[in-house]
Amino acid sequence: MSGYGKKRGGTYQLPGNTGYPNQCIFVFDPEFETYCDEMAQKLVANKTDKNIIGYFSDNELPFGPKNLEGYLTLKNPNDPGRLYAESWLKQQGITLQQITDEHREEFAGVVAERYYKVVSEAIRKYDPNHLYLGSRLHGKPKFIRQIVEAAGRYCDVVAINYYGAWTPNEKTMKHWGEWAQKPFIITEFYTKGMDSGLANTTGAGFTVQTQQERGYAYQHFVLGLLESGNCVGWHWFRYQDNDPTAKGVDPSNLDSNKGLVDNEYNLYKPLGDAMKELNINAYRLADWFDQQSTNNK
């Protein structure tokens, strides 16, 4: 969608992702299907690559409860998204003034359904051998049932960017499994340390005092993922710290201690040691949590 948006026009840079008019993606454009088919044809070169697990199609799309009014108030009265939203509202038999939060979440699910259907069908048409990992849900969208259900219908694994939590929420992770009927993967999380020499004014991850505490945060968060029984992996964001001298970078990546290594490629050893200690025991820990869950039933 971000690639199509740049081609279509009207998108802009936001911290961490792409912005759209009224934060409404162009998923109802007939041309979007054609664009996806053209892009998916490029995957053919990877069809037999054993080192590829699967594909992400976007990052942090603005699915959410503001979509319905967003599409209805697009400036162009002939925009395919606005026309679709007007038709949908008419089918519900309600006026603009009668829209409820339930309607908003239902329509957000319709937008997500359309997106995942078009993209997944294009990818699988040209490369049926690899997983489709979705668009990396974040913020409010990952808590909306209709959106997660739509992702589950078309993704092999539901990708989630999960920030600002010392402990992953047990109820939320259970919901992902129930709603999507698919496993999930955490595709972004990190903690910043104030002993790194960086200002840490940008980015979504929370802040602790030391690299050792970053290691504790990693272990605690991942233990929660393993305990869920439905998480198949996690990605620390990022490998290397932000470079404050870099020009033209995403505004969420300016000056923060996100890395496993600093800008001279030096490992943050307390963090690395904590990661290694947990990672080499991940499968044993998962088995232990599964056994505890079975015993408690």
Side-chain angles (χ1 to χ4, degrees):
M1 180 57 67
S2 60
Y4 174 71
K6 291 173 184 176
K7 179 180 178 181
R8 183 189 196 262
T11 61
Y12 53 96
Q13 180 66 57
L14 287 174
N17 50 58
T18 300
Y20 300 84
N22 289 0
Q23 283 298 72
C24 293
I25 60 175
F26 311 121
V27 74
F28 300 107
D29 287 16
E31 295 82 3
F32 178 59
E33 288 190 53
T34 303
Y35 179 84
C36 288
D37 190 86
E38 292 172 351
M39 293 299 294
Q41 290 182 50
K42 298 179 180 180
L43 302 180
V44 174
N46 303 318
K47 286 177 66 173
T48 59
D49 191 330
K50 64 182 180 181
N51 296 308
I52 292 179
I53 296 171
Y55 303 104
F56 299 111
S57 53
D58 273 286
N59 181 56
E60 300 184 343
L61 290 172
F63 302 128
K66 295 182 179 180
N67 284 163
L68 182 52
E69 280 96 341
Y71 282 104
L72 290 169
T73 55
L74 288 170
K75 291 181 180 180
N76 179 5
N78 295 314
D79 185 283
R82 177 169 171 174
L83 293 174
Y84 189 95
E86 290 172 345
S87 174
W88 187 87
L89 202 66
K90 186 175 181 180
Q91 289 173 7
Q92 308 310 304
I94 59 173
T95 65
L96 190 64
Q97 292 72 31
Q98 294 172 316
I99 294 174
T100 65
D101 286 344
E102 185 177 346
H103 293 127
R104 293 182 179 98
E105 293 189 354
E106 185 177 349
F107 187 78
V110 170
V111 177
E113 174 90 14
R114 170 71 178 170
Y115 171 82
Y116 288 120
K117 183 177 189 297
V118 170
V119 173
S120 66
E121 288 180 353
I123 289 174
R124 291 187 172 117
K125 178 180 177 181
Y126 296 102
D127 186 355
N129 300 320
H130 295 100
L131 301 178
Y132 174 43
L133 304 172
S135 61
R136 299 152 66 94
L137 297 174
H138 80 305
K140 181 71 172 178
K142 67 178 180 285
F143 300 116
I144 297 177
R145 178 174 188 150
Q146 293 89 335
I147 294 173
V148 177
E149 286 178 341
R153 281 191 285 273
Y154 298 99
C155 301
D156 298 298
V157 180
V158 178
I160 307 283
N161 291 351
Y162 198 166
Y163 284 114
W166 172 261
T167 305
N169 187 277
E170 182 180 353
K171 184 177 179 180
T172 296
M173 293 187 292
K174 183 179 179 182
H175 281 163
W176 291 338
E178 293 173 346
W179 296 345
Q181 293 297 300
K182 296 285 177 64
F184 69 88
I185 181 171
I186 298 300
T187 40
E188 286 188 25
F189 77 107
Y190 62 82
T191 307
K192 300 177 283 189
M194 292 307 296
D195 60 351
S196 63
L198 293 168
N200 290 329
T201 63
T202 60
F206 63 85
T207 304
V208 294
Q209 291 301 311
T210 68
Q211 299 304 310
Q212 184 64 69
E213 290 173 349
R214 291 180 83 202
Y216 294 151
Y218 176 87
Q219 290 189 345
H220 185 78
F221 190 85
V222 173
L223 283 170
L225 300 179
L226 291 170
E227 190 173 7
S228 76
N230 199 42
C231 179
V232 294
W234 53 91
H235 298 167
W236 177 271
F237 184 83
R238 310 180 332 157
Y239 172 67
Q240 188 175 32
D241 280 341
N242 293 158
D243 180 359
T245 67
K247 306 297 182 183
V249 298
D250 183 298
S252 68
N253 289 321
L254 297 180
D255 62 1
S256 289
N257 171 219
K258 301 175 183 178
L260 179 60
V261 301
D262 65 17
N263 283 296
E264 300 298 325
Y265 295 97
N266 298 305
L267 173 70
Y268 289 109
K269 194 172 187 302
L271 173 62
D273 288 347
M275 288 179 165
K276 180 178 180 181
E277 182 181 32
L278 187 139
N279 292 350
I280 62 176
N281 288 293
Y283 291 104
R284 286 189 289 270
L285 287 165
D287 288 342
W288 187 85
F289 282 127
D290 287 346
Q291 186 62 50
Q292 296 303 302
S293 177
T294 300
N295 292 342
N296 292 331
K297 287 182 180 178

